[in-house]
Amino acid sequence: MSIQILTLLTGDIVCAMVALYVSYFLRIDTLPTAHVFFFLDGLKLMAFTAVLLFTSYLMELYDTQKKLKKREVLVRSIVAALSSFILLSSLYYLLPSLMIGRGLLLISLACFNVLQWTWHITHKCSIDFTGGARRVLVVGTGPLANLIGGLITTSNHSHVLAGYVGCPRDSVVVPNEHIVDGGGIDISETARREHAEKIVISITERRGSIPLKDLMHCKFSGIDVFDAPTFYEQLTGKLLLENITPGWFVFSNGFKLTHTIRFCKKIIDKILATIGLIITFPLFPLIAVAVKISSPGPVFFKQVRTGLHEKQFLLYKFRTMRSDAEAGTGAVWAQDNDPRVTSIGKFLRKSRLDELPQLYNVLKGDMSFIGPRPERPEFVETLKQQIPYYSHRHFVKPGITGWAQIKYPYGASVEDAVEKLRYDLYYIKNLSITLDLLIFFETIKVILFSRGGR
């Protein structure tokens, strides 16, 4: 989580407490004591704050990559407040003990709406005014350096390109006007002159070209030094496969699939799958009828997929295509506006309701709730031959949802498979319960806004 997001969250928590505190005064005409407010009403405050943060998250008010205007922030904040009213009203109906008091809810939400909008605009202006972006010096002038430089310039002001430093044996494909040191004679002096806070080593031919002495001087002077794949990973949330060697995988800080993490994921998967099946099972007969009416054929769709350690298993879904969809073509990827998809199938895919039977796969242990998308064996064999490291995605169980699914639209080509593999390997490298929780909430947004389905 970035410092900007953490700052926004902290500010919103303060805004929620202040809004509730002020609403007590406006409604009751007296301020509650700290003892009453923070201790006796602690659970009420936590529930109130949690719902506000959750709806603000759904409205993407914490997405620092989006350049939201003042009006957009206000609209999203109002929608979040209205959503909070619905959720809190439902919560208070189910758990009356958490109710904050008659008439207090609307006043509190109105106060929070004003405070949140003011806080977010103030935070945005302070970032713009103080120049919160970090200056990055790129060592190299070749294709890799050009890629990293382009990434920096499009990082929504979180980073600013300080310039390129030329190196022997490296070709020049970056703009000449951005080269601040053509010979790379003294990188530490160049870094000080350009006020660089980060240095990224982006040399195409690294052997004998890296000025280690200068870089050590920069490191001990407080300047962060990264190689290109690590910096790319931090900025994009995916791996730079073209410039990663097997040694990078071996010595990188990550890929720690401990027994504890595997055990925790297994327990969480069983709990979520059981709860999910209990909650959604009443929908199964309705969906089954809709599928049968839309086209002749079975209700459920069974297909062989590749799972953990490339073991095959049967995946279950509600059928969304004609029963003879691949009779004349064999295994092919789904496309936009695929004519094989039925009218009901389009709705099921957009709403992700077709994937509900996969909860049974999770319960069986074939899949996890969160992990790489399970691919068909026919595609796996082809992709393994064309894409380096593709087999590495099978070191964890496939999932109903995952990092690649929320970050990238539906893949329907080898190029798409490469892009999704970047995200899948990033997930495996950084696998944790915290990351799974983030993916879970991001998936809620994907479902609510119908993103990525075909």
Side-chain angles (χ1 to χ4, degrees), residues 142-152 164 173-174 232 240 242-243:
L144 181 57
N146 192 45
L147 171 66
I148 296 299
L151 187 64
I152 293 170
Y164 298 95
V173 299
V174 301
Y232 181 90
L240 186 60
E242 296 85 345
N243 294 91

Side-chain angles (χ1 to χ4, degrees), residues 326-337:
E326 294 184 345
T329 61
V332 292
W333 274 302
Q335 304 291 332
D336 279 324
N337 301 315

Side-chain angles (χ1 to χ4, degrees), residues 134-138 152 159-163 196 198-200 231:
R134 304 190 67 180
R135 293 179 62 80
V136 182
L137 187 67
V138 178
I152 293 170
H159 294 82
V160 171
L161 179 65
K198 291 184 178 183
I199 294 176
V200 182
F231 184 75

Side-chain angles (χ1 to χ4, degrees), residues 89-282:
S89 298
S90 303
L91 180 64
Y92 296 156
Y93 177 78
L94 297 172
L95 298 171
S97 60
L98 294 179
M99 189 177 296
I100 60 177
R102 292 183 178 276
L104 287 176
L105 181 57
L106 285 174
I107 299 174
S108 300
L109 290 175
C111 290
F112 175 78
N113 201 209
V114 173
L115 291 171
Q116 183 186 48
W117 181 80
T118 304
W119 160 237
H120 280 244
I121 295 303
T122 302
H123 178 267
K124 181 180 182 301
C125 292
S126 66
I127 293 295
D128 293 340
F129 179 75
T130 58
R134 304 190 67 180
R135 293 179 62 80
V136 182
L137 187 67
V138 178
V139 178
T141 55
L144 181 57
N146 192 45
L147 171 66
I148 296 299
L151 187 64
I152 293 170
T153 57
T154 58
S155 64
N156 194 24
H157 305 302
S158 61
H159 294 82
V160 171
L161 179 65
Y164 298 95
V165 174
C167 287
R169 305 181 187 178
D170 214 15
S171 59
V172 179
V173 299
V174 301
N176 288 322
E177 62 270 21
H178 291 155
I179 299 177
V180 295
D181 185 348
I185 300 173
D186 190 343
I187 294 178
S188 59
E189 175 59 33
T190 304
R192 282 195 297 270
R193 186 181 72 242
E194 300 298 329
H195 306 289
E197 298 173 81
K198 291 184 178 183
I199 294 176
V200 182
I201 310 302
S202 307
I203 306 172
T204 304
E205 178 52 61
R206 297 179 61 174
R207 184 175 300 177
S209 301
I210 301 178
L212 292 177
K213 186 176 180 180
D214 276 355
L215 293 176
M216 286 180 64
H217 190 200
C218 293
K219 186 76 172 181
F220 282 103
S221 299
I223 301 173
D224 294 327
V225 180
F226 301 91
D227 61 3
T230 301
F231 184 75
Y232 181 90
E233 176 190 348
Q234 291 183 358
L235 243 63
T236 64
K238 57 184 178 179
L239 300 190
L240 186 60
L241 295 178
E242 296 85 345
N243 294 91
I244 290 179
T245 63
W248 186 90
F249 282 103
V250 174
F251 296 109
S252 65
N253 183 25
F255 300 103
K256 298 177 181 178
L257 304 179
T258 64
H259 291 294
T260 302
I261 291 178
R262 291 184 185 274
F263 177 77
C264 289
K265 276 182 68 69
K266 183 177 180 180
I267 296 300
I268 293 172
D269 285 340
K270 300 293 185 184
I271 294 173
L272 289 178
T274 302
I275 294 173
L277 283 171
I278 292 173
I279 293 175
T280 61
F281 190 75

